[in-house]
Amino acid sequence: MPDARRATADRQRLTDLFRRHGDAVFAYANDRLGGDDAQDLVSEVFAVAWRRLATIKEGQERPWLFGVARRLVLQHWRGRAVHAALQARLHSQAHDETEYRPSTSQRVDVMAALAELPEIDREVLLLRYWYDFNGRESAKVLGCTTAAFAVRLHRARRRFEDAYGHRRVEPKPSPIGDLAAYTRGLE
C-alpha cells in the first residue's frame, strides 16, 4: 500500500502545482506563443512536471516550472524556424529553374547513403547542408561547442562519402549535370 499512497500524494501535489501555477505558466506561454500553442505548452510543462515530480524541490516549484516552460518555448521557436527555413528553401528551389537538378538515381543513392548512417551523422549533415545552419548555429542546436561540431561534421562527411561510394560502383552520368555540382556545398 505505500506505493498507492505515494501515487495518491504525487497526484495531489501535481494538482496543487497546477492550481497554484498553471495560470502563470499559461500567461508566460501565451505572451510568447499565443493561444493554442500556449495551451499545448502548458500541457507539456505539467507532463514534464509529472515525470520529474520527485526532483522538484519544495518552495522551488514556480521557478522550476518557468524554466521548463522557457526551454519548451525555445524548442518551439527552433521548430518554427527550421520549418520556415525548409519552406523557404523548398519554395526557392521550386521556382529556380537554373539550379542543378540531380537525376532520380543520384537522389536515391544519396538518400540510401544517408539512411545507412547513424542518426547523429544524419543530423549533423542535415543541419549543415539541408537546413543551412553554419557551424556555430549547428553546434548550438546540438548543444555542443563549435569545435566539437566541426569534428562531428568531418566524421559524418567521411562516413557519408564511404557509404555513398559503396553505393555508386560506376558513375551514372546525368544530362543535367554531375554529382560534384550537386554536392558543391559539402566542401
Side-chain angles (χ1 to χ4, degrees):
M1 276 300 202
D3 289 337
R5 277 187 253 154
R6 174 120 174 106
T8 301
D10 286 348
R11 277 193 298 275
Q12 186 59 48
R13 183 172 182 216
L14 185 67
T15 301
D16 292 343
L17 283 175
F18 185 77
R19 285 184 181 144
R20 283 195 320 255
H21 305 293
D23 289 341
V25 171
F26 176 77
Y28 176 83
N30 194 42
D31 287 344
R32 281 146 187 83
L33 302 176
D36 292 337
D37 289 337
Q39 289 176 354
D40 292 343
L41 187 118
V42 170
S43 297
E44 290 179 51
V45 167
F46 282 93
V48 171
W50 175 250
R51 289 190 304 270
R52 306 278 319 272
L53 198 57
T55 65
I56 305 172
K57 295 179 182 174
E58 292 288 332
Q60 296 296 312
E61 295 94 345
R62 184 178 169 99
W64 189 91
L65 290 168
F66 271 72
V68 171
R70 179 183 171 275
R71 285 186 290 282
L72 290 172
V73 164
L74 294 174
Q75 181 180 353
H76 184 81
W77 284 344
R78 279 191 300 269
R80 276 187 186 172
V82 166
H83 180 74
L86 178 59
Q87 290 298 327
R89 184 169 184 166
L90 290 173
H91 181 73
S92 71
Q93 287 180 352
H95 290 60
D96 185 8
E97 296 302 321
T98 63
E99 187 173 320
Y100 168 73
R101 305 276 188 238
S103 70
T104 301
S105 64
Q106 287 171 324
R107 283 183 290 214
V108 168
D109 287 345
V110 167
M111 296 305 290
L114 280 172
E116 290 177 18
L117 299 177
E119 176 61 29
I120 188 64
D121 287 346
R122 277 193 306 272
E123 186 173 27
V124 164
L125 292 169
L126 291 174
L127 282 172
R128 178 62 188 93
Y129 300 115
W130 181 257
Y131 297 113
D132 287 330
F133 283 107
N134 64 32
R136 185 179 34 200
E137 293 166 335
S138 298
K140 200 173 272 190
V141 170
L142 294 175
C144 65
T145 65
T146 305
F149 177 77
V151 170
R152 289 180 185 180
L153 179 62
H154 172 75
R155 290 177 181 164
R157 285 174 51 179
R158 194 173 63 225
R159 288 183 192 113
F160 174 80
E161 288 168 1
D162 289 345
Y164 187 78
H166 293 313
R167 302 200 69 67
R168 288 189 74 210
V169 176
E170 62 183 61
K172 299 175 185 174
S174 168
I176 301 171
D178 63 5
L179 185 61
Y182 180 68
T183 59
R184 65 183 172 266
L186 295 177
E187 282 142 4

